[in-house]
PDB file of all heavy atoms in Angstrom:
ATOM      1  N   VAL Q 342      19.702  20.880   4.050  1.00 99.00           N
ATOM      2  CA  VAL Q 342      18.926  21.810   4.894  1.00 99.00           C
ATOM      3  C   VAL Q 342      19.852  22.286   6.006  1.00 99.00           C
ATOM      4  O   VAL Q 342      20.621  21.504   6.561  1.00 99.00           O
ATOM      5  CB  VAL Q 342      17.701  21.089   5.511  1.00 99.00           C
ATOM      6  CG1 VAL Q 342      17.082  21.919   6.635  1.00 99.00           C
ATOM      7  CG2 VAL Q 342      16.658  20.802   4.450  1.00 99.00           C
ATOM      8  N   HIS Q 343      19.770  23.564   6.356  1.00 98.00           N
ATOM      9  CA  HIS Q 343      20.625  24.105   7.418  1.00 98.00           C
ATOM     10  C   HIS Q 343      19.953  25.337   8.013  1.00 98.00           C
ATOM     11  O   HIS Q 343      19.153  25.984   7.344  1.00 98.00           O
ATOM     12  CB  HIS Q 343      21.996  24.490   6.833  1.00 98.00           C
ATOM     13  CG  HIS Q 343      23.105  24.456   7.841  1.00 98.00           C
ATOM     14  ND1 HIS Q 343      23.289  25.444   8.777  1.00 98.00           N
ATOM     15  CD2 HIS Q 343      24.076  23.536   8.077  1.00 98.00           C
ATOM     16  CE1 HIS Q 343      24.339  25.126   9.531  1.00 98.00           C
ATOM     17  NE2 HIS Q 343      24.838  23.969   9.124  1.00 98.00           N
ATOM     18  N   ILE Q 344      20.300  25.643   9.249  1.00 98.00           N
ATOM     19  CA  ILE Q 344      19.845  26.925   9.794  1.00 98.00           C
ATOM     20  C   ILE Q 344      20.624  28.038   9.102  1.00 98.00           C
ATOM     21  O   ILE Q 344      21.779  27.836   8.700  1.00 98.00           O
ATOM     22  CB  ILE Q 344      20.019  27.017  11.332  1.00 98.00           C
ATOM     23  CG1 ILE Q 344      21.465  26.734  11.762  1.00 98.00           C
ATOM     24  CG2 ILE Q 344      19.049  26.073  12.018  1.00 98.00           C
ATOM     25  CD1 ILE Q 344      21.715  27.020  13.234  1.00 98.00           C
ATOM     26  N   GLU Q 345      19.990  29.208   8.994  1.00 98.00           N
ATOM     27  CA  GLU Q 345      20.657  30.289   8.250  1.00 98.00           C
ATOM     28  C   GLU Q 345      21.934  30.743   8.946  1.00 98.00           C
ATOM     29  O   GLU Q 345      22.898  31.120   8.300  1.00 98.00           O
ATOM     30  CB  GLU Q 345      19.694  31.487   8.115  1.00 98.00           C
ATOM     31  CG  GLU Q 345      20.301  32.633   7.329  1.00 98.00           C
ATOM     32  CD  GLU Q 345      19.708  33.980   7.689  1.00 98.00           C
ATOM     33  OE1 GLU Q 345      18.531  34.051   8.071  1.00 98.00           O
ATOM     34  OE2 GLU Q 345      20.448  34.975   7.579  1.00 98.00           O
ATOM     35  N   GLN Q 346      21.935  30.751  10.272  1.00 98.00           N
ATOM     36  CA  GLN Q 346      23.078  31.214  11.077  1.00 98.00           C
ATOM     37  C   GLN Q 346      23.295  32.716  10.955  1.00 98.00           C
ATOM     38  O   GLN Q 346      24.393  33.217  11.245  1.00 98.00           O
ATOM     39  CB  GLN Q 346      24.373  30.441  10.724  1.00 98.00           C
ATOM     40  CG  GLN Q 346      24.209  28.933  10.823  1.00 98.00           C
ATOM     41  CD  GLN Q 346      25.488  28.168  10.619  1.00 98.00           C
ATOM     42  OE1 GLN Q 346      25.862  27.905   9.476  1.00 98.00           O
ATOM     43  NE2 GLN Q 346      26.162  27.786  11.680  1.00 98.00           N
ATOM     44  N   GLY Q 347      22.306  33.425  10.500  1.00 97.00           N
ATOM     45  CA  GLY Q 347      22.345  34.873  10.400  1.00 97.00           C
ATOM     46  C   GLY Q 347      20.918  35.386  10.561  1.00 97.00           C
ATOM     47  O   GLY Q 347      19.972  34.588  10.675  1.00 97.00           O
ATOM     48  N   PRO Q 348      20.721  36.702  10.536  1.00 97.00           N
ATOM     49  CA  PRO Q 348      19.415  37.271  10.890  1.00 97.00           C
ATOM     50  C   PRO Q 348      18.449  37.556   9.746  1.00 97.00           C
ATOM     51  O   PRO Q 348      17.335  38.044   9.973  1.00 97.00           O
ATOM     52  CB  PRO Q 348      19.824  38.592  11.550  1.00 97.00           C
ATOM     53  CG  PRO Q 348      21.078  38.994  10.819  1.00 97.00           C
ATOM     54  CD  PRO Q 348      21.763  37.725  10.386  1.00 97.00           C
ATOM     55  N   VAL Q 349      18.848  37.278   8.497  1.00 98.00           N
ATOM     56  CA  VAL Q 349      18.092  37.797   7.345  1.00 98.00           C
ATOM     57  C   VAL Q 349      16.667  37.249   7.275  1.00 98.00           C
ATOM     58  O   VAL Q 349      15.689  38.014   7.156  1.00 98.00           O
ATOM     59  CB  VAL Q 349      18.857  37.497   6.028  1.00 98.00           C
ATOM     60  CG1 VAL Q 349      18.063  37.949   4.813  1.00 98.00           C
ATOM     61  CG2 VAL Q 349      20.227  38.158   6.058  1.00 98.00           C
ATOM     62  N   LEU Q 350      16.510  35.925   7.361  1.00 98.00           N
ATOM     63  CA  LEU Q 350      15.169  35.324   7.206  1.00 98.00           C
ATOM     64  C   LEU Q 350      14.250  35.739   8.354  1.00 98.00           C
ATOM     65  O   LEU Q 350      13.085  36.076   8.140  1.00 98.00           O
ATOM     66  CB  LEU Q 350      15.267  33.791   7.151  1.00 98.00           C
ATOM     67  CG  LEU Q 350      15.948  33.204   5.919  1.00 98.00           C
ATOM     68  CD1 LEU Q 350      16.102  31.693   6.073  1.00 98.00           C
ATOM     69  CD2 LEU Q 350      15.161  33.509   4.649  1.00 98.00           C
ATOM     70  N   GLU Q 351      14.771  35.711   9.560  1.00 98.00           N
ATOM     71  CA  GLU Q 351      13.937  36.063  10.715  1.00 98.00           C
ATOM     72  C   GLU Q 351      13.457  37.506  10.598  1.00 98.00           C
ATOM     73  O   GLU Q 351      12.273  37.793  10.800  1.00 98.00           O
ATOM     74  CB  GLU Q 351      14.720  35.864  12.013  1.00 98.00           C
ATOM     75  CG  GLU Q 351      13.830  36.016  13.232  1.00 98.00           C
ATOM     76  CD  GLU Q 351      14.609  35.893  14.534  1.00 98.00           C
ATOM     77  OE1 GLU Q 351      15.595  36.640  14.704  1.00 98.00           O
ATOM     78  OE2 GLU Q 351      14.248  35.070  15.362  1.00 98.00           O
ATOM     79  N   ARG Q 352      14.367  38.400  10.233  1.00 98.00           N
ATOM     80  CA  ARG Q 352      13.988  39.814  10.093  1.00 98.00           C
ATOM     81  C   ARG Q 352      12.919  39.990   9.033  1.00 98.00           C
ATOM     82  O   ARG Q 352      12.022  40.810   9.158  1.00 98.00           O
ATOM     83  CB  ARG Q 352      15.206  40.650   9.709  1.00 98.00           C
ATOM     84  CG  ARG Q 352      15.971  41.090  10.907  1.00 98.00           C
ATOM     85  CD  ARG Q 352      16.972  42.177  10.516  1.00 98.00           C
ATOM     86  NE  ARG Q 352      17.998  42.245  11.544  1.00 98.00           N
ATOM     87  CZ  ARG Q 352      19.269  42.513  11.322  1.00 98.00           C
ATOM     88  NH1 ARG Q 352      19.700  42.728  10.095  1.00 98.00           N
ATOM     89  NH2 ARG Q 352      20.122  42.577  12.308  1.00 98.00           N
ATOM     90  N   ALA Q 353      13.037  39.200   7.944  1.00 98.00           N
ATOM     91  CA  ALA Q 353      12.078  39.332   6.841  1.00 98.00           C
ATOM     92  C   ALA Q 353      10.786  38.571   7.135  1.00 98.00           C
ATOM     93  O   ALA Q 353       9.804  38.716   6.397  1.00 98.00           O
ATOM     94  CB  ALA Q 353      12.712  38.819   5.551  1.00 98.00           C
TER      95      ALA Q 353
END
Side-chain angles (χ1 to χ4, degrees):
V342 166
H343 206 283
I344 55 171
E345 181 206 330
Q346 306 186 276
V349 177
L350 292 174
E351 189 183 55
R352 273 193 200 145

